[in-house]
């Protein structure tokens, strides 16, 4: 490879890294030290759904994906809060595609919050207005979950506007 090709490859890799959340810097379970402690607050969880399965129609025979691609959501007070590729928030008491796709919430709470579930539902519904349409690298379900987590973790009892 010549030096121009190597340089161009490095620029592309750096650009992609800057557009992701760099999960390897904060570990698999992230940084939850900023959240309120348990006392009087409700736990919330991160979770995932098998991304390859979500785009299938009918359930097929058991198989295993060759990539570790996941769809990320937040679970809070009995609700799954998700951001889908069609730029819409999905809020329900069951995961999107839960009837045919493996997945679930993490075992340990990501943090605790004193916000009401109606506040978080409103934040999810208004997410696109504040952050724009879905983008595979720039505004995806992982960014959504992290931003909802930040609201849950840092807003205290007052719902952000």
């Amino acid at each position: 490879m010549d030096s121009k090709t190597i340089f161009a490859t490095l620029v592309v890799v750096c650009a992609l890294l800057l557009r992701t959340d760099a999960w390897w810097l904060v570990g698999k379970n992230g940084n939850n030290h900023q959240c309120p402690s348990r006392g009087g607050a409700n736990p919330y969880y991160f979770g995932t759904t098998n991304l390859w399965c979500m785009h299938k129609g009918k359930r097929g025979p058991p198989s295993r994906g060759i990539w570790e691609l996941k769809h990320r959501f937040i679970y809070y007070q009995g609700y799954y809060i998700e951001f889908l590729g069609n730029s819409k928030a999905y809020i329900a008491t069951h995961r999107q595609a839960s009837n045919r796709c493996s997945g679930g919430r993490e075992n340990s709470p990501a943090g605790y919050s004193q916000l009401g579930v109606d506040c978080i539902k409103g934040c999810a519904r208004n997410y696109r207005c504040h952050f724009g349409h879905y983008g595979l690298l720039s505004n995806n379900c992982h960014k959504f979950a992290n931003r909802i987590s930040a609201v849950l973790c840092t807003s205290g009892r007052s719902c952000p506007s």
Side-chain angles (χ1 to χ4, degrees):
M1 258 193 224
D2 68 356
S3 62
K4 288 182 181 180
T5 304
I6 293 171
F7 179 75
T9 303
L10 287 173
V11 167
V12 169
V13 169
C14 288
L16 288 174
L17 290 176
L18 290 173
R19 300 298 288 181
T20 63
D21 285 332
W23 55 266
W24 59 87
L25 295 176
V26 294
K28 182 178 179 186
N29 292 326
N31 176 4
N32 61 357
H33 304 293
Q34 297 173 319
C35 294
S37 61
R38 282 183 198 206
N42 297 297
Y44 67 91
Y45 300 83
F46 281 106
T48 60
T49 299
N50 180 319
L51 187 60
W52 293 117
C53 179
M54 286 187 69
H55 296 291
K56 291 180 185 175
K58 254 181 151 178
R59 186 176 210 167
S63 65
R64 302 293 182 267
I66 58 171
W67 302 104
E68 278 294 318
L69 295 175
K70 302 281 184 179
H71 169 70
R72 177 97 30 216
F73 60 81
I74 290 285
Y75 178 79
Y76 183 61
Q77 291 189 11
Y79 287 91
Y80 293 87
I81 304 160
E82 308 179 48
F83 187 56
L84 305 176
N86 61 5
S87 298
K88 292 185 179 175
Y90 174 82
I91 304 163
T93 56
H94 59 279
R95 285 184 300 110
Q96 174 75 11
S98 63
N99 60 334
R100 65 179 193 275
C101 298
S102 64
R105 66 176 177 85
E106 295 174 355
N107 292 329
S108 301
Y112 294 86
S113 180
Q114 297 174 332
L115 286 176
V117 72
D118 288 333
C119 169
I120 294 305
K121 287 179 179 180
C123 290
R125 286 186 189 108
N126 291 316
Y127 179 82
R128 187 178 62 187
C129 297
H130 290 281
F131 296 103
H133 290 277
Y134 180 91
L136 183 61
L137 295 176
S138 59
N139 192 26
N140 56 31
C141 58
H142 302 283
K143 291 266 191 181
F144 171 82
N146 288 335
R147 288 173 172 149
I148 294 295
S149 174
V151 170
L152 284 164
C153 188
T154 60
S155 295
R157 292 184 180 183
S158 59
C159 192
S161 53

